[in-house]
Amino acid sequence: MKIAVTGGSGFLGKWVVRALKEAGHEVASIDIAAGVDDRWTTFSIDLTVYLETKSTLKAVKPDAIIHLAALAGATGKGGGAESSKDPYRYFKTNQDITLNVFEACRELDIRRVIYMSSFSLFGNAPCPITEETPLDPDNSYGGSKANCETIAKIYAKKFGIKTIIFRVPLMCGEGQKEKNALREFVFAAFDGQPLIVWSDGSTLREFVHPSDVANAYLLGLKHMDGMQAPYETFVLWNKPITMANLAKLVKNTVGKGEIQFLRDKPTLFDQFTRRDKVETILGWFPKITVQEIVERVVRESK
């Protein structure tokens, strides 16, 4: 199968492109920051420009698109904090990219799209999170991803573009530039700085390795053959861990570090999932534990 991957030069994109090639697919990576790679076709374009998007997809003629491209706060502490500094840019960029991809699919008769969504569109939702959890984003990044899901669903229902939406917890692994709690704990331990944990550290989070997410895309492509609904949504997961236990795991793996609890800070909201649907329908489960993710990030950071 010929697959176009938007955002193929990003953190997740690189893992997805490799996984697709290893599975025997023909891959075209489309990214504004794309560089030349002899292992697959690359296109460096601005996906916010419709004519560039359409002409590139017309040249590629993919059987399916894995749509990862988005503005996601790569220079800050996640899309939420970064997007609050420039909400207009986040809303416009992410929505323009997604609208351009789906409109090009409509015009070029491309009938399969897998869309990368986020847990940011849930906000402070009751746990466990499922595919039916109401969307209640509390920042511009999460809002833009929720709006992009709406675009995807309308094009799926009205124009026959079969779509799978994956909502993914915190991704973390080697090769990552984005900041998150796990990586900040690792950097702090190596730098001799305290590992800062808010309140009593009982907040629960889930961390997923990008290779497991890439495997979900492979399973999603296979599932599309028999999909009856115009679109389906899946929540991915991993075993949740408290921030206190994550800090201890990092400290023990690095072999040094002091954990500092900020008792005057409020406990943050939990975010963990129920795994029934993705396990039952796709047969997907994470193979890389949080401990192994920590070990990989530590090895890379030495």
Side-chain angles (χ1 to χ4, degrees):
M1 187 182 296
K2 183 182 289 186
I3 313 294
V5 181
T6 71
S9 295
F11 170 54
L12 174 61
K14 292 176 181 178
W15 288 90
V16 171
V17 168
R18 284 196 296 266
L20 290 168
K21 284 295 291 183
E22 290 171 1
H25 295 290
E26 184 179 347
V27 183
S29 173
I30 304 171
D31 196 301
I32 196 168
V36 176
D37 196 311
D38 294 336
R39 294 170 294 176
W40 45 77
T41 306
T42 58
F43 294 88
S44 179
I45 70 163
D46 185 349
L47 286 159
T48 65
V49 179
Y50 179 67
L51 290 180
E52 288 190 40
T53 304
K54 181 182 175 181
S55 62
T56 301
L57 291 175
K58 185 176 182 179
V60 173
K61 298 179 181 177
D63 301 301
I65 297 173
I66 293 181
H67 177 33
L68 310 177
L71 202 58
T75 59
K77 295 184 179 181
E82 195 71 12
S83 72
S84 296
K85 301 174 185 177
D86 196 351
Y88 178 86
R89 178 169 171 251
Y90 270 76
F91 272 111
K92 182 167 175 54
T93 300
N94 289 347
Q95 291 166 194
D96 282 357
I97 289 173
T98 297
L99 185 57
N100 286 348
V101 167
F102 275 92
E103 177 62 9
C105 285
R106 184 184 72 84
E107 290 204 333
L108 298 173
D109 199 32
I110 300 168
R111 295 297 169 185
R112 297 184 181 192
V113 177
I114 297 182
Y115 173 65
M116 171 67 173
S117 192
S118 167
F119 268 32
S120 293
L121 44 71
F122 291 122
N124 185 2
C127 291
I129 288 170
T130 71
E131 289 77 9
E132 287 73 42
T133 297
L135 308 186
D136 188 23
D138 56 10
N139 59 62
S140 305
Y141 172 69
S144 74
K145 298 299 278 188
N147 290 350
C148 288
E149 281 202 11
T150 298
I151 292 169
K153 292 172 183 177
I154 293 297
Y155 273 81
K157 290 188 291 186
K158 295 298 182 183
F159 305 113
I161 301 170
K162 196 176 293 186
T163 301
I164 289 178
I165 297 169
F166 282 117
R167 297 171 180 164
V168 184
L170 296 164
M171 276 190 300
C172 190
E174 58 273 39
Q176 188 173 23
K177 295 179 181 178
E178 294 88 349
K179 293 181 180 179
N180 54 54
L182 190 154
R183 286 169 53 79
E184 289 189 2
F185 284 161
V186 171
F187 297 152
F190 276 117
D191 293 342
Q193 301 296 319
L195 282 63
I196 303 297
V197 179
W198 277 37
S199 188
D200 62 356
S202 62
T203 300
L204 284 166
R205 287 289 189 271
E206 295 178 345
F207 293 86
V208 180
H209 194 272
S211 64
D212 281 326
V213 179
N215 187 49
Y217 285 111
L218 293 175
L219 293 171
L221 288 170
K222 293 179 181 178
H223 177 65
M224 280 182 156
D225 290 337
M227 258 181 68
Q228 299 301 313
Y231 69 86
E232 287 194 37
T233 303
F234 295 97
V235 168
L236 303 188
W237 62 277
N238 206 343
K239 184 177 180 180
I241 186 170
T242 67
M243 289 297 99
N245 285 338
L246 178 63
K248 292 175 185 175
L249 178 57
V250 169
K251 177 182 176 180
N252 292 338
T253 305
V254 175
K256 60 180 180 179
E258 175 190 351
I259 300 173
Q260 180 178 331
F261 291 89
L262 299 183
R263 303 287 181 179
D264 59 332
K265 296 291 185 179
T267 301
L268 301 176
F269 60 86
D270 292 333
Q271 204 167 57
F272 58 91
T273 58
R274 195 175 69 206
R275 61 200 65 173
D276 308 36
K277 184 177 179 181
V278 72
E279 280 192 347
T280 302
I281 296 178
L282 296 188
W284 180 91
F285 58 91
K287 297 178 181 178
I288 299 180
T289 64
V290 176
Q291 180 168 343
E292 186 175 346
I293 293 173
V294 170
E295 291 169 354
R296 289 179 177 219
V297 174
V298 167
R299 283 198 301 268
E300 182 187 44
S301 303
K302 286 183 177 178

